[in-house]
Amino acid sequence: MLSKTAEYALRATIYIAQKGTEDNKLGIDEVAEGIDSPKSFTAKILQLLTQNDRVVSSVRGRNGGFYLTDRARKLPVRAILEAVEEEEVITKCVLGLKECSETRPCPMHLQYKAIKKQLKQLFEKTSIQQLVEESNKGNLFINNQKAPKKRS
């Protein structure tokens, strides 16, 4: 349902919020590896997320890198989707029709209407910091790498 861009933008933002600080900025290599994403694709996504400090902040140079401010941590998840121009996922027709509405519904309109409302609430009411806190609790992950085997 989400585009690859939106998926990686969410993962990158969560990772940077978990691991980076203004004093310990993360480099592109670390972010790409941390979210199991190609470096060039991660760079393009971070470009979108850092425009005008919308979500992610960055500093260039030797001690540069990426981090989230306290203000950014309080942003709703929807801000990430907006930064990568993918917020339509929570507003558009599930079949991608331009004219889908109450008066001219697609075959899935009625069933998807309730789901779309829940998605909108999820993305608007959940903050980036809440996702970080949930991730830090334990068994949650944000990459496709296999978990390390437990030693007995």
Side-chain angles (χ1 to χ4, degrees):
M1 187 165 86
L2 294 176
S3 71
K4 283 290 181 199
T5 300
E7 290 173 4
Y8 284 118
L10 289 165
R11 288 162 48 183
T13 303
I14 294 166
Y15 185 83
I16 293 167
Q18 283 179 312
K19 307 280 185 192
T21 65
E22 197 166 350
D23 294 329
N24 181 39
K25 297 167 191 72
L26 305 179
I28 186 73
D29 292 329
E30 182 179 351
V31 175
E33 185 178 328
I35 65 169
D36 193 27
S37 169
K39 181 180 173 182
S40 60
F41 191 49
T42 304
K44 288 179 185 179
I45 290 166
L46 288 175
Q47 244 180 348
L48 295 170
L49 291 170
T50 58
Q51 282 181 340
N52 303 319
D53 284 335
R54 286 175 90 174
V55 178
V56 176
S57 295
S58 67
V59 174
R60 292 181 183 258
R62 182 180 164 123
N63 295 317
F66 302 95
Y67 66 98
L68 261 70
T69 63
D70 289 339
R71 176 201 60 83
R73 290 171 182 277
K74 295 175 186 171
L75 290 171
V77 173
R78 183 177 181 145
I80 299 167
L81 298 178
E82 289 170 351
V84 296
E85 299 178 358
E86 296 281 339
E87 70 274 13
E88 68 195 24
V89 73
I90 57 177
T91 58
K92 72 177 187 175
C93 169
V94 69
L95 298 181
L97 301 175
K98 293 178 185 175
E99 300 293 324
C100 185
S101 66
E102 290 294 319
T103 56
R104 189 169 174 199
C106 75
M108 295 183 73
H109 183 81
L110 294 176
Q111 298 90 330
Y112 189 64
K113 185 177 172 181
I115 295 167
K116 187 163 50 172
K117 184 178 179 180
Q118 289 176 326
L119 277 174
K120 189 174 179 184
Q121 287 177 339
L122 173 69
F123 290 127
E124 290 176 351
K125 296 194 183 296
T126 305
S127 72
I128 295 167
Q129 185 60 34
Q130 285 173 298
L131 294 179
V132 170
E133 289 168 5
E134 286 297 316
S135 294
N136 288 342
K137 285 183 181 176
N139 293 324
L140 304 177
F141 59 96
I142 59 170
N143 66 38
N144 290 318
Q145 297 170 353
K146 292 183 179 179
K149 292 182 181 179
K150 292 184 179 179
R151 295 183 181 179
S152 334

